[in-house]
Amino acid sequence: MDKTLCRYHPAQPATWQCLPCERSFGDCCIPLNADAPDELPVCPLCNVQLQFLGAANTAQPFWERIPSFFLYGLQGGPMTFAVLLALASLFMPQSLILWGCLFSVATKYFHSVIEASCQAGSQAPSLLSAFSPEGFSLFFRQLVVFAIAFGALWLAADFNSEALYWAVTLGILLAMPASIIRLALDKELGAALSPDQVGQVMRAMGWRYLILCAFLFILWQSPGWVTHMLSSGLPRVVLVPIAAFLFAYFGVVMCAMMGYAVFQYQGALGYVIADENGQASYPTAEYQRRRALAQAEIRLKEGQSGQALETLAAALERNDHDIRLNERFHQLLFGLRERSRCLRHLSHYLPLAARLNPSLAATALLNARQLQADYLPEDAQVCEVVAEALLQRHKTREALSLLRNLHQRFPSYPHIPRAYLLAARGFAEGLGQVEPAQKLLTFILTRYPQSPLLVEVRALQTTLAKLTTQA
Ligand SMILES: [Zn+2]
Ligand SMILES: [Zn+2]
């Protein structure tokens, strides 16, 4: 089964689907409203309610999670279960009824592990859940499945053909995990025995089902190998509980792996299971902001730039101080060469960006100059901040044009000395023009003798003086 991806972000797995317009969306495009968790999201294009795809496309493959299954078996629930089995193997009397009860508890516990891990839960079920009275019939159903499997093996052994015997063994080994998964999911004997239903599990996983089988086979054999290695010299009284303990532990690991395989292949198996961590959802204001940004991007990628603009304009009406929304709106207007609208928006956007993100303001100013060559912000502070950001980008001429005649354009601006010191540095360092820099410094010294920046002004003056004498 191939993963479905977000139509607009091919690196993101799809989590939602719109049936009418046949588009898949990732979480990237569909933010959720934390203040209205029951509200189902709608398609950004046709406004129809979206279908949730669950974690089918986001799930990590089970073969990349092998260590986590071994850790899973080390939790409190599985450990008590393993200890219980070990103790029972030592102390329980030889009573068929008692052993039958123990096996049913064990089967129930294994099945609850499969169920829990097919929700991708990292918490193992507690052992107590295996003692609850409901669901014991599951044990009998599992028993029937095992009995049929053993019956088939027994029959095959009767035929005196090694090839037939191995064929049947292999067939059972291959079918068993799928059958157990089917029983855990549907709780019906019919489903666990139906070749069609069991085959569906295999088809859903494809050749990767073989990886699952191989791992399960290794795990199934491990308790035997370990006890075989230990068996030299150890007495029965030690060996039997160790074997029982390992059987329980590896059983839980196997079930956790099978359960997770269901989680991973839920789409192909016809289930919808959300990730334990759930999807990110946001408070209403943030949700609206993200939705507007995502919708505008989708509209733009669909070639509907007009609608993209309107989406952003509507979002800006609610929240006109959001820098991201403003930036997207500006870039879109500029990209579409909507000259007058872009310039009008700049009178709002430029002061905002100068305050929150001068680098964005510098970009916006360079854009503005392309639309109107003599564009100047209407605020002295904005001019100074943007000029500084432009100087950092080595856009010296553009920066200096913002500072030219600042004292005449904004006579009441209190930071003229600071702005002119910046301009002097621009002339000297950016353009290598010492003379205009010196003029500016002299201007500061004569016009603003009270300025706290005089020390810096004199220092720069001295440096420039040295430069001219050397030259
Ligand atoms: Zn749609
Ligand atoms: Zn997306």
Side-chain angles (χ1 to χ4, degrees), residues 22-39:
E22 294 181 334
R23 282 167 169 75
S24 319
F25 303 93
D27 289 353
C28 42
C29 290
I30 310 292
L32 296 181
N33 189 350
D35 296 329
D38 296 329
E39 194 182 285

Side-chain angles (χ1 to χ4, degrees), residues 6-10 12 24-30 297-298 301:
C6 174
R7 184 185 178 100
Y8 304 97
H9 303 97
Q12 300 289 326
S24 319
F25 303 93
D27 289 353
C28 42
C29 290
I30 310 292
E297 190 178 343
I298 291 172
K301 286 181 176 167

Side-chain angles (χ1 to χ4, degrees), residues 413-469:
Y413 185 53
H415 299 298
I416 296 288
R418 192 177 67 191
Y420 279 4
L421 180 60
L422 183 71
R425 289 207 173 103
F427 273 115
E429 290 162 17
L431 300 180
Q433 298 179 6
V434 177
E435 204 178 316
Q438 278 172 329
K439 266 188 195 158
L440 277 168
L441 296 176
T442 321
F443 180 81
I444 301 172
L445 287 173
T446 47
R447 280 287 281 272
Y448 305 91
Q450 307 297 322
S451 168
L453 293 170
L454 291 190
V455 184
E456 280 178 65
V457 172
R458 290 214 179 86
L460 184 58
Q461 235 180 359
T462 325
T463 318
L464 293 183
K466 273 185 203 154
L467 275 177
T468 39
T469 48

Side-chain angles (χ1 to χ4, degrees), residues 248-312:
Y249 172 71
F250 283 108
V252 168
V253 174
M254 276 167 54
C255 291
M257 194 185 282
M258 285 195 282
Y260 188 82
V262 172
F263 174 72
Q264 189 193 332
Y265 290 99
Q266 51 176 285
L269 286 168
Y271 294 86
V272 173
I273 312 167
D275 208 322
E276 193 187 35
N277 305 322
Q279 284 179 290
S281 56
Y282 307 93
T284 304
E286 175 65 7
Y287 155 74
Q288 285 175 336
R289 176 182 169 273
R290 283 178 182 262
R291 199 182 56 169
L293 286 169
Q295 286 196 348
E297 190 178 343
I298 291 172
R299 292 287 185 188
L300 198 62
K301 286 181 176 167
E302 289 287 338
Q304 305 170 354
S305 45
Q307 271 120 320
L309 269 180
E310 292 334 302
T311 306
L312 288 175

Side-chain angles (χ1 to χ4, degrees), residues 18-23 25 43-48 50:
C18 176
L19 293 179
C21 70
E22 294 181 334
R23 282 167 169 75
F25 303 93
C43 174
L45 290 167
C46 48
N47 258 343
V48 175
L50 290 171

